[in-house]
Amino acid sequence: MFKKIAVCAALVSIGLGQTMAQTAAPAAPPPAWKQGMPADMANSTLAPLAGKLTVTPAADIPLNKLKLPPGFKIEIWSTGTPGVRAMSRGEGGKIYAGTRGLGRVYEISDNGQERTSRVLVDKLNQPAVTMHKGNLYVMAIDKVLRYDGIEANPNAQPVDMTAAFKLPPLQHHNWKYLSFGPDGKLYVPFGAPCNICEPGAEYAQIRRYNADGSGMEVIATGVRNTVGFDWHPVTKEMWFSDHGRDWMGDDTPDDELNRMSKTGLNFGFPYCHASGVADRDIKKDKPCDGVTLPVTNMGPHAAVMGVTFYTGNMFPAEYKNALFVARKGSWNRTKKLGFDVVAVTTDAEGKNVKTAPFLTGFKDDADNSFWGRPTYMLQMPDGSMLVSDEQLGAIYRISYAK
């Protein structure tokens, strides 16, 4: 009897095991960057471009390939800061810069002859930085830190301000760009947590805060992923870049350059893209009604990054109040686009837009390759301009002489 029971139990166990083995485990969800990929592109080889997150010596940077308009000069200003992105300069001349992939914040010092750098803080979740009244603000996806008087006191300990800012947690497109506006408030984007979706109340927007994290206001919605903005030197209006969605083809939708004439505007995401392109997947009746369309389109999948109005006196007069826009470069496109800095000029009313190449040579059209990815600009007190190259961890200096 006992033998029969044991045999039956063994058979049941074997049967259950076979049934469980035959039941396929649920498939892992596709990576976030594939969301929105149509079935007819399932075999596409397009994928985000890997960053080079190691030090590139100056001797290995092909500076001679870079081209500028006549009279301009470019030189390597600093190296040794892998993944360097947006830069902010302190009153004492030190420059601070965040990264995305490495989670570092760099401090770069200049003694007039050479630049040296140190890692101020590490292992943060995609931090960005800005200086304000002698204090360094660092914002990651899940943390906000303030380093008071950091230039004079290199050992300053951070004040943790995270609780005051009530940061939403989702990571995709939630990496930051920080800047204090003419009103003394801190402006921060919170990108869409997806390639294309209805993002919910906490995302696809630009906010501003008081410096202590209080007084939060949502000042723009329908913003898929801006990581660069600046204020017009005359009108004080915010202008910002915005990335278009992926997987609608090589040539649509364009990235955007937007102008915020007042707060509370809707810039279209997820229903309306670029200059009136209805979304293929997230549908809405009259999707572009009530949407503020771009000042100009910046090219499909160009990955527009930093935007900087030029207010210095070194460059020729036609560049006064021009907007420089860094285009880090496309991945969701068969033929690469961007990998450059362009100059955007308008009339006094922000119309009659003209976009012209400024810094080129980071990509080779002949073989569809690239070696550098410009991301942000920083105007220096003498009127020269720094440009960060996230791919090589270098910063270039652009100057002009007749």
Side-chain angles (χ1 to χ4, degrees):
M1 182 69 178
F2 290 111
K3 287 183 180 180
K4 287 184 179 180
I5 293 173
V7 169
C8 289
L11 290 172
V12 169
S13 177
I14 292 170
L16 285 172
Q18 289 175 339
T19 301
M20 292 176 67
Q22 291 169 0
T23 303
W33 57 267
K34 280 194 172 186
Q35 191 257 330
M37 175 192 282
D40 62 1
M41 294 190 72
N43 295 322
S44 172
T45 58
L46 297 175
L49 305 171
K52 182 181 181 296
L53 300 179
T54 56
V55 171
T56 302
D60 293 343
I61 298 175
L63 199 67
N64 61 318
K65 292 185 177 181
L66 297 179
K67 296 178 176 59
L68 288 159
F72 286 93
K73 173 187 175 183
I74 188 165
E75 57 194 314
I76 297 172
W77 189 78
S78 71
T79 59
T81 48
V84 64
R85 278 194 158 199
M87 304 164 285
S88 188
R89 186 178 185 273
E91 295 176 1
K94 290 184 178 180
I95 288 176
Y96 297 87
T99 59
R100 181 180 157 198
L102 287 173
R104 294 176 185 169
V105 171
Y106 296 112
E107 180 187 75
I108 305 168
S109 301
D110 182 6
N111 65 11
Q113 295 180 328
E114 62 180 358
R115 270 61 61 187
T116 57
S117 65
R118 69 169 178 136
V119 176
L120 174 65
V121 60
D122 203 353
K123 297 181 174 60
L124 295 179
N125 195 351
Q126 306 179 45
V129 303
T130 191
M131 288 291 291
H132 181 64
K133 295 184 176 180
N135 303 325
L136 177 69
Y137 288 73
V138 178
M139 186 177 287
I141 289 175
D142 55 358
K143 191 174 289 292
V144 185
L145 304 174
R146 190 186 72 230
Y147 291 80
D148 295 337
I150 184 66
E151 283 190 286
N153 179 14
N155 296 316
Q157 295 302 300
V159 177
D160 193 328
M161 306 175 70
T162 307
F165 283 84
K166 299 179 175 63
L167 303 175
L170 298 179
Q171 296 207 26
H172 196 53
H173 294 147
N174 204 3
W175 44 87
K176 299 287 180 280
Y177 174 76
L178 304 180
S179 187
F180 280 86
D183 55 5
K185 293 182 181 278
L186 179 60
Y187 287 73
V188 188
F190 292 83
C194 57
N195 172 40
I196 183 69
C197 65
E198 292 184 325
E202 293 184 296
Y203 301 93
Q205 61 190 232
I206 302 174
R207 303 180 186 178
R208 67 181 173 194
Y209 297 83
N210 295 324
D212 63 359
S214 65
M216 189 277 281
E217 303 170 79
V218 176
I219 61 165
T221 57
V223 180
R224 179 179 177 272
N225 184 32
T226 179
V227 282
F229 40 78
D230 199 5
W231 287 264
H232 192 283
V234 178
T235 68
K236 307 305 179 185
E237 294 172 333
M238 177 194 273
W239 292 54
F240 65 92
S241 61
D242 194 14
H243 293 187
R245 65 155 290 181
D246 298 318
W247 303 116
M248 276 182 63
D250 272 7
D251 298 321
T252 192
D254 278 75
D255 285 5
E256 303 171 6
L257 178 62
N258 291 297
R259 173 189 181 192
M260 196 185 305
S261 59
K262 60 181 180 180
T263 60
L265 297 177
N266 173 22
F267 291 89
F269 183 85
Y271 311 106
C272 178
H273 308 285
S275 293
V277 177
D279 193 77
R280 179 190 64 201
D281 300 313
I282 309 292
K283 299 183 185 299
K284 178 184 177 183
D285 186 42
K286 298 179 180 179
C288 296
D289 278 10
V291 169
T292 300
L293 298 180
V295 172
T296 189
N297 292 327
M298 299 303 299
H301 313 296
V304 285
M305 301 292 290
V307 300
T308 300
F309 281 105
Y310 184 77
T311 60
N313 297 315
M314 178 186 285
F315 292 4
E318 59 263 34
Y319 290 98
K320 194 77 166 187
N321 297 339
L323 185 66
F324 289 99
V325 181
R327 304 192 303 176
K328 192 174 81 161
S330 59
W331 69 263
N332 194 241
R333 195 172 195 275
T334 306
K335 185 171 177 58
K336 290 185 171 57
L337 178 72
F339 304 89
D340 59 8
V341 176
V342 298
V344 178
T345 55
T346 68
D347 60 22
E349 297 180 350
K351 299 178 180 178
N352 297 318
V353 181
K354 297 179 181 177
T355 301
F358 182 70
L359 175 60
T360 61
F362 290 101
K363 69 179 173 70
D364 187 341
D365 290 334
D367 61 5
N368 204 31
S369 66
F370 72 96
W371 57 268
R373 305 189 81 181
T375 49
Y376 290 90
M377 290 72 57
L378 176 67
Q379 184 181 307
M380 298 291 275
D382 65 355
S384 64
M385 189 168 69
L386 301 184
V387 178
S388 61
D389 179 349
E390 182 180 24
Q391 188 71 13
L392 298 190
I395 299 174
Y396 311 112
R397 178 179 180 266
I398 296 175
S399 57
Y400 179 84
K402 294 182 179 178

